[in-house]
Every structure is written in structure tokens, then in C-alpha cells.
Amino acid sequence: MISRLVTPGIAAARRHPDVICLTIVVIAATLMRLAFNYRAPVFIRQDSIGYFQSAYELARGIDLDIPIRRTPGYPLFLAMTIWAFGEDFQSIALIQHLLGVVAAVLAYAIGRQLFSALAGLVAGLLVGLSGPLLIYEHYLMSESLFTVFVTLAIWLTIRGSQKRSTRALALAGIATGLAYQARPVGGAILPLIALAAALLPGLP
């Protein structure tokens, strides 16, 4: 009786390993974040006030004033979140936690692209269940947005190199630009993309 119930599941996993693994990653990462989001107040640092003020002014049509040392990516993200869901900090944190789920999916994609579905599953679960990442997502800071764009840029670079796709590498460059808009250190990925592009045949 048990074998009759288990065998179809095993057969389905063999036919669609990516679907099964991605489902596990998404469920695990989502449940982790839902259990945490409303059990703790949103964490605020000194820079959080400046980010939120800039976002609030942008969302309400007030003249935008972003300090020179900050890039506009995260204030724009906050402004869109405020416009869509209001000024509740917990709602903003929930959206950032959803970005964490996306980062876990991208980690799966990287592991899958480099090695196998099993490696992707391990990578996705490590990111999805990471305590430090979960804490960073609960701060009113740019780390969650930055992490998604950096992970996306890395995956696109790997995919572009393996598939010999200039389109994927161009998208990796765009993702890197978006990561830079969240945190300037994101520009450090550009040499990696340039190297991958230089190694593709047919490119100058």
C-alpha cells in the first residue's frame, strides 16, 4: 500500500526534478519568512531614516532629495512599495522577505546551472533558510534588493558563459547596473561579466 503511494511521487520527481526542487525551496523559504515577519518589529538603523524620508517624499510627489553618497535604487523601491501598500513597515519588510524567496530561487538556478538539481536544491535551501539573510531582509536597508540583483547578475553571467549567449551577458550587465543603484559595491561584478564576454567566440 505504501509503495503504491510513494512510487508515483518518485517517478514524478525523476521526470520533473526542477519543479520538485524549486517547490521545496520556495515553500521552505516562504514559511521561514512568514513565521518571522510579524513576530518581530522591523529593524531600523540610522541610514534607514534617510532612505525612508527620500522614499516618502518621492511617493507623495515632494521634491526628492537623495544624499550624494547614496544611490537612488532603494529609495525608488521603497517609494513604489509605499505607493502600493502604504507606509506600514511590516508590509515593506514582507516585500523584502519575498525578495529573499526570489534570491533562494536564483541560488537554486546557479547550483543547477553549474552542477545538478540536487546541488541547486542544497544552494536554494541554504539561502532560503539563512538566518543572517533573514535578519538583513527585516532591516529597512538596501541589502535585500542588492542581494537579488547580484544573484541575478551572477546567474545570468554563468548562463551566458555556458550557453554562449551575448543576450544573457547583456542582461547580466543590466542586473549589475541595478545592483549598483542599490549599493555601489555592486559594480565589482562588472569585471567578471567582461571576462565572460571576452571568452565568448565571435566577440571583439
Side-chain angles (χ1 to χ4, degrees):
M1 180 64 180
I2 296 178
S3 62
R4 291 180 180 178
L5 296 175
V6 173
T7 301
I10 296 175
R14 289 176 176 173
R15 289 195 303 269
H16 309 287
D18 290 326
V19 174
I20 300 298
C21 292
L22 275 174
T23 300
I24 294 173
V25 169
V26 169
I27 290 176
T30 301
L31 290 179
M32 184 81 167
R33 282 153 178 79
L34 288 177
F36 179 79
N37 187 57
Y38 292 102
R39 294 176 182 269
V42 176
F43 305 139
I44 304 294
R45 297 179 61 182
Q46 185 175 358
D47 288 345
S48 303
I49 300 172
Y51 279 129
F52 186 80
Q53 181 178 352
S54 299
Y56 179 86
E57 292 172 352
L58 181 61
R60 301 304 178 214
I62 305 172
D63 291 340
L64 182 61
D65 182 19
I66 299 177
I68 296 177
R69 66 187 182 89
R70 291 200 182 101
T71 47
Y74 188 61
L76 288 171
F77 165 77
L78 281 182
M80 289 188 292
T81 305
I82 292 171
W83 181 81
F85 301 101
E87 301 162 18
D88 178 45
F89 282 4
Q90 294 293 158
S91 297
I92 295 173
L94 180 60
I95 300 301
Q96 294 187 167
H97 285 309
L98 292 178
L99 292 179
V101 176
V102 175
V105 171
L106 289 170
Y108 169 82
I110 292 172
R112 179 70 175 86
Q113 193 78 42
L114 287 175
F115 301 105
S116 65
L118 179 59
L121 175 61
V122 173
L125 288 176
L126 286 175
V127 172
L129 302 178
S130 169
L133 285 178
L134 187 66
I135 296 299
Y136 277 125
E137 292 163 17
H138 213 64
Y139 272 102
L140 202 66
M141 295 293 290
S142 61
E143 275 77 2
S144 56
L145 188 66
F146 174 75
T147 299
V148 167
F149 287 138
V150 166
T151 312
L152 177 61
I154 292 172
W155 174 65
L156 287 169
T157 301
I158 294 171
R159 184 173 179 82
S161 299
Q162 292 187 344
K163 302 294 185 180
R164 300 185 181 279
S165 170
T166 54
R167 181 179 180 181
L169 290 176
L171 291 174
I174 293 173
T176 301
L178 293 172
Y180 176 86
Q181 292 302 315
R183 292 181 68 87
V185 71
I189 306 174
L190 281 176
L192 176 64
I193 300 174
L195 177 61
L199 293 176
L200 288 184
L203 292 181

